[in-house]
Amino acid sequence: MPQIIDGKRISQEIKDELRDKVAALKEQGKEIALAVIQVGEDPASSVYVRNKKRACEYIGIKSLSYEVPESTTQEELLAIIDECNKNPECNGILVQLPVPKHIDEDTIIRAIDPKKDVDGFHPMSVGALTIGEPGFVSCTPAGIIQLLKRSGISIEGKECVVVGRSNIVGKPMALLLLRENGTVTICHSRTKDLREVTKRADILIAAIGKPKFFDASYVKEGAVVIDVGIHRNENNKLCGDVDYDDVAPHCSAITPVPGGVGPMTIAMLMNNCVESAEMFGE
Ligand code: GUN
């Protein structure tokens, strides 16, 4: 049977390391704060925001909470971001996405000071990653690198296939695997023979956004399979992009859903907040 990559355990390990770091920073008189901005009351967003605030509390990061109504204008939201950009106490700014339709997401992302861009979505952060300069990295792909490293899986020289090309997961994932000296292929909906490509993967990153899309026919014997998907199946149970029961017996290692990639995203957000305070804090 494969090694089950335990994201819950690894994320807890990271949060505990960060808690110690934050305690040490406090002894030097350094407090860390994250601005958490939510526009409207989308139920899924409310769950994410609550979990992010809980993680802040656990680690010892102060959360500066801005919960504003759906009717908030773009100008009003930009004014909040400006206030956070200027606030020396605030180390990171997180605007929970999606924002309501009358607000332009790109304008919001670009308004965040790159020094406080703990989500790693600003074009400056993405550009820095692309040319190998320091900067904040999108949390889900950064978390996947931690899952691999902390499970003793080396990336160097491996055939890495990323299925999905979103700005938040697929593209930064490919760049991070490249930075670790993987041989990287990105696939997407127009890829001609997807199975033929994924079958070559030593490390397969499944981020296609379709429930249980990948069965064993897509996977090489002994591959490492990382499942980024999160869906509810017909019985309201959580499942990923990978048909776990079919694929797992053929892998050397695999992430479960839930309890794989999911918990890593918040852990890496917390990591980015601490890094921000260490690099730019007063
Ligand atoms: N909405 C879904 N995932 C994310 C995320 O990682 N960051 C933000 N800001 N919004 C999200």
Side-chain angles (χ1 to χ4, degrees), residues 11-42:
S11 69
Q12 188 60 45
E13 192 177 289
I14 292 172
K15 284 191 279 186
D16 287 339
E17 289 166 13
L18 290 171
R19 193 151 95 143
D20 292 346
K21 239 187 204 179
V22 170
L25 286 168
K26 271 196 185 145
E27 293 208 341
Q28 300 167 24
K30 281 190 187 172
E31 293 272 347
I32 305 181
L34 169 68
V36 182
I37 306 170
Q38 183 183 1
V39 186
E41 289 165 14
D42 172 66

Side-chain angles (χ1 to χ4, degrees), residues 48 52 94-98 119 121 140 168 265:
Y48 286 127
K52 287 171 187 179
L94 175 126
V95 180
Q96 186 64 30
L97 302 177
D119 255 329
F121 295 166
T140 300
I168 291 180
T265 302

Side-chain angles (χ1 to χ4, degrees), residues 122-190:
H122 193 288
M124 285 279 289
S125 306
V126 178
L129 173 63
T130 307
I131 60 173
E133 286 190 356
F136 294 112
V137 177
S138 182
C139 300
T140 300
I144 291 171
I145 296 292
Q146 285 301 313
L147 282 180
L148 293 170
K149 286 191 170 173
R150 289 173 187 248
S151 302
I153 297 164
S154 85
I155 301 165
E156 181 153 329
K158 298 276 176 67
E159 287 282 350
C160 304
V161 174
V162 181
V163 188
R165 54 172 159 179
S166 70
N167 289 336
I168 291 180
V169 179
K171 283 181 206 159
M173 186 75 254
L175 289 164
L176 285 173
L177 290 164
L178 188 61
R179 191 164 86 179
E180 299 294 332
N181 301 313
T183 302
V184 183
T185 306
I186 309 180
C187 303
H188 45 78
S189 54
R190 309 272 175 91

Side-chain angles (χ1 to χ4, degrees), residues 46-66:
S46 297
V47 172
Y48 286 127
V49 162
R50 192 164 60 238
N51 288 339
K52 287 171 187 179
K53 287 181 187 167
R54 251 189 221 147
C56 281
E57 198 174 331
Y58 180 79
I59 289 165
I61 294 175
K62 183 175 170 187
S63 45
L64 309 168
S65 178
Y66 295 84

